[in-house]
Amino acid sequence: MAWFKRVEKGIVTPTDQKKETPDGLWHKCPECKTVATMAEHKRLLHVCGNCNHHGRIDAADYFEFLFDKGEFTELDANLTSGDPLRFVDTKAYPQRVVATERNTGLKDAVRTGHGLSAGQPLVVAAMDFKFIGGSMGSVVGEKIARAIDYARQNRTPFLMISRSGGARMMEAGYSLMQMAKTSAKLALLSEAGVPYVSLLTDPTTGGVTASFAMLGDFNIAEPGALIGFAGPRVIKETIGKDLPKGFQSAEFVLEHGFLDFIVDRRELKQRLADLLGMLQPAPVAAEPNAARRTSTKVH
């Protein structure tokens, strides 16, 4: 019993001799409570190996595993928000932006870049929820629009990774205008015949859902992602009815025809490569004896 119960009293371990587990070594799944090392959790791209729960990750994480060797060229990295409305809530909008930039190391809620993914050229725009809830302001709309222009001009497939709480209230009408601007740019991309894949992650809501997030040639999502326009509480109060189980989950949205498929994050890169590979135009067949005619010299 002495193994399980201290017999002698008054035994004290000095503070400098106490051994504590350093922070950041372990991850506990919020769904199934399975504990794994952070190294293993990162290796699985922040997906639980037991229950497949997809944790939220940043734009930098997507770039790291989507682009070959994590190498890419960032587009419009230094665009920052103005203050067109002189907006003030608990603090002035410029102060909020500066504080968020300092805390996150980001300039705004989206990063854009281009590089090779599985050997194929790809333009990616990835939203970051930690920058004011991934809200869509003028900079977000402009960076996405410029990324679409780059994809169209270079005839490179475009991937949009959405994670957002919706329009940014500090920019009001200017924010809502980004819905029309990005949608118009995507129409031009479609006219040019350049593929657009939209990946919806947890959460994708508000004006983002009502614009570019749902306009893909292929709309896909991560498992369990919250996808919707208004929140469940607002909808329930508006219609006065209880909502179905799993309402606004990626699986529910897929079942009702608004998604093409759900993809595990660990399979995303290969699934994209397969999908975009099928969309590439077939090479034009050479005419018979074309090689011989090309090599013939005219005297």
Side-chain angles (χ1 to χ4, degrees):
M1 288 297 295
W3 288 359
F4 305 102
K5 184 177 180 181
R6 177 168 286 179
V7 177
E8 299 182 28
K9 305 295 183 182
I11 299 176
V12 178
T13 303
T15 302
D16 59 355
Q17 294 183 20
K18 291 182 179 179
K19 292 181 172 57
E20 297 182 358
T21 304
D23 293 334
L25 289 181
W26 302 93
H27 171 79
K28 185 176 183 180
C29 176
E31 289 294 322
C32 68
K33 312 306 179 186
T34 298
V35 176
T37 64
M38 279 303 299
E40 177 67 6
H41 190 55
K42 289 180 179 178
R43 187 186 69 80
L44 295 176
L45 303 181
H46 296 262
V47 176
C48 177
N50 182 55
C51 72
N52 202 42
H53 172 73
H54 281 53
R56 294 178 182 176
I57 60 175
D58 300 331
D61 297 313
Y62 281 107
F63 287 163
E64 184 177 352
F65 75 81
L66 281 175
F67 289 117
D68 296 345
K69 299 180 181 179
E71 297 175 355
F72 65 96
T73 301
E74 188 160 2
L75 299 169
D76 307 300
N78 294 316
L79 284 185
T80 55
S81 296
D83 185 22
L85 303 179
R86 304 290 186 268
F87 188 92
V88 179
D89 48 13
T90 54
K91 64 172 69 173
Y93 181 42
Q95 295 176 7
R96 185 176 299 282
V97 169
V98 170
T100 308
E101 287 180 357
R102 184 172 58 249
N103 293 335
T104 64
L106 301 170
K107 292 293 185 180
D108 216 288
V110 70
R111 291 182 67 187
T112 57
H114 65 90
L116 294 178
S117 180
Q120 302 180 72
L122 183 67
V123 179
V124 180
M127 303 190 75
D128 247 303
F129 195 79
K130 64 184 181 182
F131 195 101
I132 314 182
S135 53
M136 177 179 61
S138 300
V139 169
V140 169
E142 182 63 17
K143 291 185 71 169
I144 293 173
R146 293 188 186 189
I148 295 170
D149 282 341
Y150 182 92
R152 180 167 57 89
Q153 292 162 6
N154 292 275
R155 302 199 59 78
T156 302
F158 177 58
L159 170 66
M160 181 73 229
I161 303 174
S162 298
R163 172 172 290 138
S164 175
R168 187 172 299 175
M169 68 175 187
M170 299 86 161
E171 297 186 26
Y174 290 92
S175 176
L176 297 177
M177 288 166 61
Q178 309 311 310
M179 297 169 61
K181 179 167 71 176
T182 53
S183 298
K185 290 290 186 182
L186 287 171
L188 294 176
L189 191 70
S190 179
E191 288 178 6
V194 178
Y196 166 42
V197 179
S198 177
L199 173 64
L200 291 80
T201 68
D202 183 60
T204 300
T205 59
V208 169
T209 306
S211 56
F212 56 81
M214 281 294 187
L215 294 177
D217 298 314
F218 293 91
N219 294 326
I220 64 178
E222 291 184 341
L226 171 67
I227 301 169
F229 180 67
R233 179 182 58 81
V234 174
I235 296 174
K236 183 177 179 179
E237 291 177 354
T238 301
I239 66 176
K241 296 181 180 179
D242 291 331
L243 300 175
K245 184 178 180 181
F247 179 68
Q248 292 187 326
S249 68
E251 290 73 15
F252 185 92
V253 177
L254 174 67
E255 183 180 346
H256 288 78
F258 289 93
L259 290 175
D260 292 293
F261 57 87
I262 293 173
V263 58
D264 188 298
R265 185 181 296 155
R266 294 164 292 185
E267 302 173 359
L268 176 60
K269 183 174 181 178
Q270 188 57 51
R271 292 288 295 275
L272 276 174
D274 295 341
L275 181 62
L276 296 176
M278 291 188 293
L279 297 176
Q280 296 301 317
V284 178
E287 297 179 18
N289 301 322
R292 188 166 61 231
R293 286 202 305 271
T294 302
S295 63
T296 301
K297 294 181 181 180
V298 178
H299 298 284

